[in-house]
Amino acid sequence: MTLNGEPVEFLAEPRQTLLECLRDTLHLTGTKEGCGDGNCGSCCVTLDGNLVTSCLVLGVEAQGRSVTTIEGIARGNDLHPLQKAFIEHAALQCGICTPGFIVAAKALLDAEPAADEERIRLWLANNLCRCTGYDKIVRAVQAAAKEMR
Amino acid sequence: MLQMKPFEYIAASSVDDAVRALGSRADARVLAGGTDLIVQLKSGRREAELVVDVKRIPELTAIAMDADGLRLGAAAACIHIAANRDVRTHYPALAEVAALIGGTAIQGRASIGGNLCNAAPSADAVPLLIALSARARVAGPDGRREIAVEDFCIAPGKNALAPGEFLVDVFIPKPASGTRAKYLRFIPRNEMDIAVAGVGVAATVVDGKITMARLALASVAPTPLFVREVGGALEGQAPSAALIEQAAALAQAAARPISDMRAPADYRRHICGVLSRRALSAVLG
Amino acid sequence: MSTAYNVIGTRPPRHDGADKVTGRAIYGADVQMAGLVHGAVVRSPHAHARIKRVDTSKAAAFPGVMAVVTADDFPQTPDRIVDLGEGETPLSYVRGNVLAKDKVLYEGHAIAAVAANSAHAAEQAARLIEIEYDVLPCVLNVTDAMAAGAPALHKESNVTDHVRHAMGDSDSAFASAAVLIEREFKTATVHQGYIEPHAATALWNNDGRVQVWCSTQGAFVVRDVVACLLDLPVSRVKVTPTEIGGGFGGKIPVYIEPVAALLSKKCGRPVRIVMTRREVFEGSGPTPGSLVRVKIGADASGKFVAAQAYLAYEAGAYPGGMVGAGAMCVFAAYDIPNQTIDGYDVLVNKPSTAAYRAPGAPNAAFATESVVDEIARELKIDPIELRLRNAAKEGTRRADGPKFKKIGCVEVLEAMKAHAHYAAPLGEPSHAEAKRGRGVAIGYWFNIGFASSCVISVNADGTANLIEGSTDIGGSRTSIAMQAAEVLGIPVEKLNPSVVDTDTIGYTAVTGGSRTTFATGWAAHDAAQDVVAQMKARAAKLWEVADVSFAQGVFRAGDRSMTFAELAARLSETGGPVVGQGSVNPRGAGGSFAGVIVDVEVDTETGKTTIVRFTSVQDAGRAIHPSYVEGQMQGGSVQGIGWALNEEYWMSDGGRMMNASLLDYRMPTILDVPPIDTVIVEVPNPSHPFGVRGVGEANIVPPTPAIANAIHDALGVRLRKLPMNPPSIVAALA
């Protein structure tokens, strides 16, 4: 498959999830597991551009497909506007949900650069955060959207 | 981390290919979006020797509209259904329901076909499909056949598919002019929740008279529940608040919910009445 | 208010920001090392049962399995009372909670564990462990547990402690009350809900040393518990805290670390255990459900003359729950001359309870603040005005003994009263069946001090490295470094803070009790002062003068001056590196008050409550990094909203948690909450060098009663049981 723009090859047992392959086989531990059943969004990645929870994708399903993880969001040493905005707006506290939120928010802003607060909240409702109360996450995504436009 | 037991995996490339694969093992499971199946394999609620991925079969992910109606490939992801122009134009309630199942990242994988095959009483898409007179088109070792969606779910987690059969697509006839449809559900949160109760309705009004009405319920019976008597009470009548109340009462009376961690039975019954009235008002008001 | 400072009160980016937005930060489950094997824990399916037999032979024979352990593998040291950072408790209870021996006391109670060469094999093998139980009747709430003849968890009674605080004579004072309200309240067991499951890796090295890498609020607590349970000197256990994905009190207790260590001892390989979400709900510590009765009497002017409280809190499976803190906080916001407070710690067949953000206080405040609202309505006094008439101030004595020093209760109430939200119209409901209402409430948390250590080493380029032992759950690296930077007169970017292992820094208590920015910040302040003193001596040596002054980052003597960076470059020629240290164990934690104004809309047909507008007000003492203070307030507010409306342990009669998933536990999503407006009040804590009070907790205390009061305002009915979910609102309206 293509992982963050580069071709990779690996072996997976059918029962291994994409999340497991990313974390344990490919050692990309930026994608987190919070629940294992698609209800927290910490493991969000994009699969051929679609936002998915990688805990509910089999690794073998990704064969020949393109996967983007949190490790593929920054361009070299330059943080993506969303990453900068999350730091500047204090949109993370413990940071465990942050990779999922950034991957999810990027998928939204790539498709809908003009997304408003209502749209942002609806899109991100698959991602749980227990620290921030979400307020500063919304502000950060709005700020990044403005920056990206 | 919850681990799945070992199984084999095949990505089928055609309907025939999938039929062959499914026939090769007693315990073969179809994988569409995986948002139910993978959870069940992890929790041990279902087991599989073989998982047959049907997403690489073009027919299974197609969303195609013609003069007769809409063919919704069984593995088409909700996010594509919700965004499809034909669906939004001719079946706006269906586009809404596709955007209701799970959150964004679930919708990137989950399919309405999967929602149907999983046969959960709480499936959000199924009451609306019943209301829209949809038919499930299945393929198996003995060829293809159609099953009315209201007959498709037979018990919690059990569907009407025979061994070796699988769902190819769902056909939804083009609604007659003057038809409106709606699915309303109640969840305590605003997202990422399972319907405490849900109501799907479709009704056609021609010259001030209701010529067709169908209503089905979610989460109040062992399967999605088609309440035929609502149609009987409404058809031939002129819409009115009193008529809607009467039909909602019929729907509420048909509900036979259980109490569990998601809600007590009496509350589900109550909500059934509220949602039925609101959904009927939306399509008849 | 912070104009006197250069760094404090500003909003610099956090030092670990880049690591955490790129996925590079290493959390508990991200630890990788050569030879790592995977552990899985076997847990009880019963809430209460005697263990008759444990047969591990099939698991041990399973391909890939490298070790199997049970409680018998712990050194069988005789029972004694130990204090491992969470108060005194018998060793047997700590050990029994980590791995049950004779009896299981809750569903999810750990019994055995397996290590194998893959997580898949470990889990499959764990299922092969055969355990025979003698199932016992269980008790799941305080009423049943306190009833005569109730099944006992440990000894004959499930009531393991009774705390009583009294002053004045409440019984006779009630006679003079013009209004007397007495009500009973119930709250459900709830979980902290951190997104990162517990994760730990342990290596029992060939030299007999044990190393642990884990996600914890207190690395030294883990060290002490592991050493105690394995009967090792603490110097042979080294705990490296990873980044931590939320805790809120729930990652203070130790569960899997000693088990991973035992497995490692048996197989000679590093062993990693990561809990599943179900294990987190069933096998870690939630915060207690409770039954609280509150009675308050007021005279005609609204002055509270007497108050009584009865608090019965679930302890969970082992004694030592949160009722003590509840009894301290129940009336702390008010000056009431006559009080009687009785608190009962009650064993139930649920996991041993753990702290959760102001643990015990929200249960109590739900009762007190609902009763205060009723009194305000009865007397037709504005609810904030009524609270102001009775607000605790400097010198007010609490029933549990202490007299308040300078506190910000009045200032918080004044800020609420002055806020535009309080005067704003409620707005039209969104549909015909909806009604709107507004509620207010306040809450108190005492905050804690405890020990902290900090070391600062100066680099020749004018920067400094700061090492500390407080795990950083919400930006505390930066809020601590800011206090050092303020003293050193350098920008906080010039400080490089690290959270280090237990071999590398002095004892530091948990990140909890709102103590980290307060106490570890204080240690950083002291370490920085130590650096300044040493550098002054270096400047004096260079300049051959007796006295050197230091201000704003510049050393001066007469007309000579050197910046911090200039002097830092000359340390090697003046005697070598400068290393400053600070260690504190402060008693002067300043309590924090918080208040909430909330508008709700309730759908009268479905019973669903929508939070329309929410304002959180809190006394921070001094806001070191205002963004992080706001973040604490917003986070606590939304947890309070979840607690108020939907969250609960939904137990079957047999004691099984039926909603142990993030789907059915129903924590608020981003769509369930409005923007959370914040007002930081600053009434400096006279006991801290910068006036810090600590802001992590008080904010979760007022949301539940404020929402209950708002629902009453909207509907005219009072909900006295949490959660106030749609079915209970429909039932209340029927």
Side-chain angles (χ1 to χ4, degrees):
Chain A
M1 68 181 195
T2 306
L3 178 58
N4 297 328
E6 288 174 22
V8 294
E9 279 187 27
F10 63 95
L11 288 174
E13 274 186 78
R15 64 168 165 178
Q16 288 182 292
T17 61
L18 176 60
L19 174 63
E20 212 180 318
C21 295
L22 290 170
R23 289 179 53 84
D24 292 348
T25 310
L26 301 166
H27 298 307
L28 289 184
T29 55
T31 307
K32 306 300 181 190
E33 174 158 5
C35 68
D37 54 15
N39 287 296
C40 76
S42 304
C43 68
C44 278
V45 302
T46 58
L47 180 64
D48 283 349
N50 281 337
L51 184 68
V52 298
T53 49
S54 59
C55 71
L56 296 184
V57 178
L58 300 179
V60 289
E61 288 184 79
Q63 183 166 5
R65 304 203 184 269
S66 172
V67 172
T68 302
T69 69
I70 185 66
E71 288 89 349
I73 303 291
R75 300 255 150 118
N77 283 330
D78 292 334
L79 293 177
H80 185 274
L82 272 163
Q83 293 172 314
K84 284 187 204 156
F86 266 64
I87 298 174
E88 271 166 34
H89 290 263
L92 62 143
Q93 285 181 31
C94 82
I96 196 84
C97 70
T98 307
F101 267 100
I102 288 176
V103 169
K106 180 171 182 294
L108 171 65
L109 297 185
D110 285 349
E112 302 175 34
D116 62 5
E117 172 162 356
E118 195 183 335
R119 185 72 185 129
I120 291 167
R121 285 188 185 263
L122 182 63
W123 184 271
L124 295 177
N126 209 155
N127 293 74
L128 288 178
C129 168
R130 192 63 160 173
C131 294
T132 64
Y134 303 107
D135 197 287
K136 292 186 190 299
I137 292 176
V138 175
R139 307 302 147 229
V141 175
Q142 286 176 313
K146 208 171 153 197
E147 171 79 26
M148 288 163 73
R149 285 198 290 268
Chain B
M1 190 163 37
L2 264 181
Q3 311 293 339
M4 289 179 268
K5 290 188 184 165
F7 52 79
E8 286 176 52
Y9 169 89
I10 292 175
S13 56
S14 68
V15 170
D16 289 345
D17 197 16
V19 169
R20 265 193 305 277
L22 289 167
S24 72
R25 294 280 206 302
D27 218 353
R29 299 259 164 214
V30 174
L31 173 69
T35 53
D36 286 316
L37 181 67
I38 294 176
V39 174
Q40 290 160 358
L41 290 173
K42 285 185 181 189
S43 70
R45 234 179 319 149
R46 284 192 205 271
E47 292 189 6
E49 288 175 49
L50 172 69
V51 165
V52 182
D53 187 351
V54 295
K55 288 189 295 299
R56 301 201 185 212
I57 307 172
E59 210 179 335
L60 270 280
T61 54
I63 303 169
M65 181 82 194
D66 65 17
D68 296 334
L70 176 74
R71 287 170 206 286
L72 214 53
C78 283
I79 202 163
H80 299 309
I81 297 169
N84 183 280
R85 188 164 307 168
D86 287 330
V87 176
R88 294 170 78 99
T89 307
H90 300 289
Y91 305 88
L94 186 64
E96 275 177 37
V97 92
L100 207 62
I101 295 172
T104 321
I106 297 297
Q107 288 157 17
R109 295 267 293 168
S111 63
I112 281 184
N115 197 238
L116 178 58
C117 290
N118 188 48
S122 57
D124 284 313
V126 181
L128 183 69
L129 292 176
I130 294 173
L132 290 169
S133 302
R135 301 196 295 273
R137 308 186 338 142
V138 308
D142 300 327
R144 299 203 178 202
R145 64 178 180 126
E146 287 193 354
I147 306 170
V149 167
E150 58 264 37
D151 299 327
F152 193 84
C153 302
I154 55 175
K158 284 215 171 69
N159 58 41
L161 292 171
E165 276 189 331
F166 75 104
L167 179 70
V168 175
D169 60 22
V170 175
F171 174 73
I172 309 163
K174 193 163 183 185
S177 166
T179 302
R180 290 161 80 184
K182 189 79 188 166
Y183 175 72
L184 284 183
R185 71 169 177 190
F186 180 79
I187 55 174
R189 291 195 286 188
N190 288 324
E191 190 54 276
M192 298 305 290
D193 217 333
I194 304 289
V196 159
V199 179
V201 294
T204 310
V205 179
V206 179
D207 300 334
K209 282 256 165 63
I210 302 165
T211 58
M212 183 283 290
R214 286 166 69 93
L215 180 148
L217 303 171
S219 291
V220 293
T223 64
L225 187 65
F226 178 36
V227 190
R228 273 173 217 278
E229 51 269 38
V230 167
L234 293 175
E235 285 165 14
Q237 308 285 318
S240 70
L243 185 68
I244 287 170
E245 285 292 348
Q246 187 197 331
L250 282 175
Q252 187 171 353
R256 35 181 212 279
I258 56 160
S259 287
D260 67 7
M261 71 283 186
R262 292 182 183 138
D266 54 350
Y267 178 76
R268 288 185 197 264
R269 205 174 291 112
H270 165 79
I271 286 295
C272 218
V274 173
L275 293 182
S276 295
R277 197 190 69 236
R278 289 183 182 180
L280 286 165
S281 301
V283 298
L284 296 173
Chain C
M1 287 186 80
S2 306
T3 45
Y5 297 120
N6 295 316
V7 180
I8 287 169
T10 65
R11 300 174 188 244
R14 60 195 283 171
H15 297 81
D16 53 343
D19 281 348
K20 285 182 176 165
V21 299
T22 55
R24 287 203 186 94
I26 299 298
Y27 290 82
D30 303 337
V31 170
Q32 301 277 354
M33 62 190 68
L36 185 70
V37 301
H38 305 265
V41 176
V42 184
R43 296 174 183 276
S44 169
H46 304 295
H48 197 189
R50 210 165 286 290
I51 300 170
K52 287 169 74 179
R53 188 178 65 92
V54 180
D55 182 348
T56 61
S57 55
K58 283 188 186 144
F62 191 80
V65 167
M66 311 180 82
V68 183
V69 297
T70 67
D72 291 335
D73 291 289
F74 279 125
Q76 300 301 310
T77 44
D79 202 9
R80 63 179 200 276
I81 301 295
V82 292
D83 188 345
L84 303 166
E86 279 204 282
E88 293 191 338
T89 183
L91 168 62
S92 59
Y93 288 172
V94 181
R95 197 159 53 196
N97 195 35
V98 171
L99 286 175
K101 192 168 166 66
D102 305 318
K103 235 178 137 187
V104 286
L105 300 169
Y106 54 95
E107 186 223 359
H109 200 158
I111 299 166
V114 177
N117 58 8
S118 78
H120 294 274
E123 215 174 80
Q124 275 182 275
R127 290 197 199 105
L128 298 177
I129 293 183
E130 292 171 7
I131 303 170
E132 222 178 291
Y133 300 95
D134 194 355
V135 178
L136 302 167
C138 62
V139 284
L140 299 170
N141 59 60
V142 292
T143 310
D144 292 350
M146 293 170 88
L153 274 77
H154 294 288
K155 293 170 189 140
E156 57 280 4
S157 171
N158 290 320
V159 178
T160 62
D161 196 14
H162 172 201
V163 293
R164 165 167 273 232
H165 306 301
M167 61 182 186
D169 180 353
S170 53
D171 275 326
S172 30
F174 280 130
S176 69
V179 182
L180 194 59
I181 306 275
E182 180 174 17
R183 301 283 183 242
E184 182 174 288
F185 300 82
K186 285 180 180 167
T187 70
T189 311
V190 295
H191 198 271
Q192 301 82 358
Y194 34 82
I195 305 298
E196 179 202 28
H198 297 254
T201 303
L203 171 64
W204 196 301
N205 213 337
N206 304 67
D207 57 6
R209 284 175 188 274
V210 176
Q211 280 195 71
V212 179
W213 298 261
C214 63
S215 168
T216 176
Q217 288 176 244
F220 285 88
V221 173
V222 176
R223 182 193 69 170
D224 293 358
V225 171
V226 168
C228 179
L229 295 191
L230 303 177
D231 200 22
L232 296 168
V234 292
S235 59
R236 299 190 81 80
V237 180
K238 172 176 167 181
V239 177
T240 306
T242 63
E243 295 304 326
I244 168 173
F248 314 108
K251 285 185 185 155
I252 298 172
V254 174
Y255 304 103
I256 48 180
E257 289 81 357
V259 180
L262 276 183
L263 287 167
S264 178
K265 185 183 189 183
K266 276 204 169 174
C267 68
R269 302 267 288 268
V271 177
R272 182 170 82 195
I273 300 178
V274 181
M275 283 196 194
T276 63
R277 178 54 57 178
R278 175 172 281 281
E279 285 181 287
V280 172
F281 276 117
E282 295 176 345
S284 73
T287 219
S290 57
L291 183 147
V292 178
R293 275 195 294 274
V294 158
K295 181 178 180 182
I296 300 176
D299 67 17
S301 73
K303 184 78 194 85
F304 299 161
V305 294
Q308 285 181 354
Y310 167 96
L311 309 115
Y313 283 26
E314 296 168 359
Y318 294 93
M322 309 299 146
V323 74
M328 286 162 72
C329 295
V330 61
F331 298 130
Y334 301 110
D335 182 0
I336 311 175
N338 303 289
Q339 297 185 32
T340 312
I341 300 164
D342 287 289
Y344 297 89
D345 187 51
V346 187
L347 296 169
V348 294
N349 292 110
K350 291 180 181 173
S352 194
T353 54
Y356 176 20
R357 213 167 199 152
N363 313 45
F366 176 54
T368 302
E369 291 296 293
S370 296
V371 168
V372 168
D373 199 62
E374 278 200 60
I375 294 172
R377 284 187 182 262
E378 192 97 348
L379 292 172
K380 300 191 171 53
I381 299 175
D382 172 87
I384 294 182
E385 181 54 37
L386 178 70
R387 287 172 171 86
L388 273 168
R389 283 183 202 174
N390 293 285
K393 305 176 187 65
E394 187 170 0
T396 301
R397 183 173 288 285
R398 285 205 321 249
D400 56 307
K403 245 187 203 175
F404 281 120
K405 291 185 189 165
K406 184 78 191 142
I407 49 168
C409 186
V410 168
E411 288 80 354
V412 164
L413 283 161
E414 296 285 4
M416 290 165 71
K417 202 169 145 187
H419 197 279
H421 182 176
Y422 199 55
L426 270 172
E428 283 305 307
S430 59
H431 58 99
E433 292 85 22
K435 289 185 175 170
R436 290 193 171 193
R438 175 169 298 155
V440 300
I442 57 171
Y444 170 74
W445 180 250
F446 45 85
N447 295 336
I448 59 170
F450 294 179
S452 278
S453 312
C454 187
V455 172
I456 298 174
S457 348
V458 180
N459 298 313
D461 63 358
T463 64
N465 297 327
L466 182 158
I467 64 172
E468 39 133 337
S470 288
T471 49
D472 180 354
I473 319 189
S476 58
R477 278 184 183 84
T478 303
S479 68
I480 289 162
M482 286 170 77
Q483 296 178 60
E486 188 69 53
V487 174
L488 298 175
I490 59 177
V492 71
E493 297 76 35
K494 301 251 180 203
L495 273 161
N496 171 37
S498 306
V499 179
V500 296
D501 63 74
T502 52
D503 279 6
T504 310
I505 187 74
Y507 187 92
T508 299
V510 296
T511 296
S514 300
R515 65 172 292 281
T516 306
T517 297
F518 168 77
T520 309
W522 194 336
H525 166 275
D526 286 4
Q529 282 198 328
D530 187 13
V531 165
V532 168
Q534 293 182 47
M535 286 178 69
K536 276 183 181 171
R538 302 300 179 87
K541 194 169 175 187
L542 273 174
W543 291 332
E544 297 177 349
V545 297
D547 284 323
V548 174
S549 68
F550 177 74
Q552 305 285 324
V554 181
F555 295 89
R556 291 176 205 278
D559 55 0
R560 278 182 289 198
S561 72
M562 248 192 302
T563 64
F564 181 87
E566 286 164 350
L567 182 54
R570 303 189 63 181
L571 295 180
S572 137
E573 63 182 274
T574 55
V578 162
V579 178
Q581 63 94 23
S583 64
V584 298
N585 191 5
R587 291 178 180 277
S592 179
F593 287 84
V596 162
I597 309 167
V598 61
D599 296 355
V600 301
E601 176 171 311
V602 186
D603 183 327
T604 56
E605 288 191 323
T606 63
K608 181 163 169 169
T609 300
T610 301
I611 307 294
V612 177
R613 186 169 177 184
F614 196 103
T615 302
S616 173
V617 181
Q618 188 173 351
D619 175 18
R622 176 77 66 208
I624 299 294
H625 192 305
S627 295
Y628 298 159
V629 174
E630 292 160 6
Q632 290 296 318
M633 294 164 69
Q634 291 167 331
S637 296
V638 169
Q639 287 183 319
I641 290 170
W643 197 338
L645 295 181
N646 283 310
E647 294 178 32
E648 64 177 317
Y649 270 50
W650 204 95
M651 311 294 283
S652 72
D653 292 342
R656 185 166 176 80
M657 183 183 180
M658 302 304 285
N659 60 337
S661 72
L662 290 180
L663 176 64
D664 288 322
Y665 182 71
R666 293 174 176 149
M667 302 190 323
T669 73
I670 196 167
L671 264 185
D672 296 316
V673 292
I676 306 293
D677 197 3
T678 55
V679 179
I680 301 173
V681 171
E682 290 186 307
V683 178
N685 173 11
S687 307
H688 185 274
F690 295 118
V692 171
R693 288 186 187 276
V695 292
E697 296 172 285
N699 42 57
I700 201 174
V701 183
T704 51
I707 291 168
N709 294 340
I711 290 172
H712 175 266
D713 189 47
L715 305 178
V717 298
R718 284 223 177 254
L719 279 288
R720 298 195 179 93
K721 185 166 171 273
L722 298 180
M724 300 176 282
N725 57 19
S728 50
I729 288 181
V730 167
L733 284 171

